[in-house]
Amino acid sequence: MLVSLALRRASASRGLLSSSPRKQVQFAFSTSSDSAKKTPKEPIVVTTTTDTGVTTIRMNNPKKLNGWTEPMLLSLFDAFQAAEKDVATKAVIVTGTGDYYCAGVDLSGTIKPMHPSELHNMIYTSNKKVFDTFLTFPKPLLAAVNGPAIGASVTTATLCDHIVAADSATFLTPFARLGVPPEGCSSVHFERLMGGEGLRMLGPEAFKPTGKEAAEIGLANECVPDADLMARALEVCEGWISDPARLAAPRTHRGHTDTARLLEVNDSESKDLADAFLSEKFLAAQADFLGKKGKTVPSAVFKGLVATRGLWKNLYTPFKG
């Protein structure tokens, strides 16, 4: 199919994704065909646990701004599963290595060649799994946002129990600009957390608060100097751990939204996202976005998909018509 062929060209241009064997608490995945020939020097996600029971899950691909490629997401899922099963882990911190917290989903590192109907379903199931992972994790979660956060890395952070933002942090959710609907429960959760400021973040303005502004509007719980970020994150987690009643209680979500409701919202948003992803509006916006970033090959692929959409648009069934 044309979608499959176009995506295959993009895949071939960047190499095939493959994975290396996982270790107990450190996970290493290759991100190109060249790297598949040798063991990566550093794992793409690093987990460490203190003797007080705080596990830190660190996104560790600073050259790619800790963007969520398929290997990054797989290793994050594994790290969350390991932390959930580990009796020594009482609370979890999620943070990033380098200047960025996370640049969001890297489409060039997540899409594989496939039939339009398979791609449509993959987008739905993959998106739903990302946010369900944060929603259903049974132990206290803290996001230590060490720098710019974009897209899904912002919305997943809001599903944590607490956000500590560094002074250098910024928060960007440019969904409207990209022609896609809100995700990560943000269609409901942002307004509950921030009121009108949340709508500014989701709308065409794509308001991008700094760490200080995020704390002022309710997106983050607090903002601290960069040098104090991890110490403060550990202090908050150790405070939770010292309170047996806090650890024994089921997780609640900021904004007083119950988990069952957020799971419903995530399911609906994931269906909307899958439908939007194959729409002409999104494909054209993505081609423009990638072109401005200098990513000429992926941009050309999306332009090709726009041009040929009339030939393949009936090969999948939208969730919502």
Side-chain angles (χ1 to χ4, degrees):
M1 294 301 170
L2 289 173
V3 172
S4 179
L5 290 173
L7 294 176
R8 186 175 291 110
R9 293 190 190 104
S11 180
S13 71
R14 65 177 182 269
L16 299 175
L17 296 171
S18 61
S19 60
S20 62
R22 295 194 296 271
K23 297 181 181 179
Q24 184 174 0
V25 294
Q26 291 191 337
F27 307 93
F29 292 83
S30 62
T31 56
S32 71
S33 55
D34 290 334
S35 64
K37 299 175 183 177
K38 58 185 178 181
T39 302
K41 293 181 180 179
E42 295 184 10
I44 202 167
V45 167
V46 175
T47 62
T48 56
T49 303
T50 68
D51 57 6
T52 58
V54 181
T55 290
T56 297
I57 298 175
R58 183 182 296 275
M59 298 172 283
N60 189 45
N61 194 10
K63 290 183 179 180
K64 297 292 186 180
L65 308 180
N66 300 320
W68 284 356
T69 59
E70 182 186 40
M72 175 70 84
L73 286 171
L74 288 173
S75 55
L76 281 172
F77 293 147
D78 282 346
F80 270 83
Q81 289 174 2
E84 180 177 349
K85 295 176 181 177
D86 180 21
V87 295
T89 296
K90 306 300 181 184
V92 169
I93 297 170
V94 182
T95 192
T97 299
D99 295 333
Y100 264 65
Y101 175 71
C102 176
V105 175
D106 179 354
L107 289 177
S108 66
T110 54
I111 297 175
K112 293 181 177 180
M114 63 186 71
H115 188 279
S117 63
E118 294 177 359
L119 176 61
H120 183 247
N121 188 63
M122 183 274 286
I123 295 165
Y124 162 66
T125 56
S126 298
N127 191 79
K128 186 174 183 296
K129 181 176 180 179
V130 168
F131 299 107
D132 280 355
T133 296
F134 279 77
L135 285 168
T136 62
F137 189 73
K139 301 176 183 180
L141 271 174
L142 183 148
V145 182
N146 57 292
I150 301 173
S153 69
V154 177
T155 50
T156 51
T158 67
L159 302 178
C160 295
D161 300 75
H162 197 96
I163 297 176
V164 181
D167 281 332
S168 63
T170 57
F171 299 82
L172 177 64
T173 51
F175 305 134
R177 290 183 183 178
L178 293 175
V180 295
E183 41 89 308
C185 304
S186 57
S187 65
V188 170
H189 205 41
F190 269 34
E191 188 172 9
R192 291 196 175 188
L193 289 176
M194 297 173 274
E197 299 297 340
L199 299 179
R200 288 180 64 198
M201 289 185 67
L202 295 176
E205 179 187 354
F207 170 49
K208 182 173 72 173
T210 63
K212 181 175 182 293
E213 290 170 332
E216 291 173 347
I217 66 178
L219 173 58
N221 296 84
E222 55 187 301
C223 179
V224 299
D226 286 45
D228 299 335
L229 177 67
M230 292 311 296
R232 177 55 184 158
L234 283 167
E235 181 181 20
V236 172
C237 287
E238 288 172 353
W240 292 337
I241 292 171
S242 68
D243 181 359
R246 171 69 173 80
L247 291 182
R251 274 190 66 205
T252 57
H253 295 281
R254 300 170 59 214
H256 307 289
T257 308
D258 65 86
T259 300
R261 170 59 179 149
L262 290 176
L263 288 169
E264 290 176 358
V265 172
N266 182 36
D267 183 77
S268 179
E269 287 181 347
S270 297
K271 290 175 178 175
D272 288 340
L273 184 69
D275 288 350
F277 189 93
L278 296 182
S279 70
E280 182 173 351
K281 181 180 179 180
F282 171 77
L283 296 172
Q286 194 63 210
D288 182 63
F289 173 77
L290 292 168
K292 290 178 178 178
K293 292 290 185 180
K295 298 182 179 182
T296 55
V297 174
S299 176
V301 169
F302 279 95
K303 288 179 180 178
L305 292 173
V306 172
T308 60
R309 188 173 181 274
L311 300 176
W312 53 262
K313 66 180 182 179
N314 295 322
L315 298 178
Y316 74 98
T317 303
F319 286 110
K320 299 186 178 181

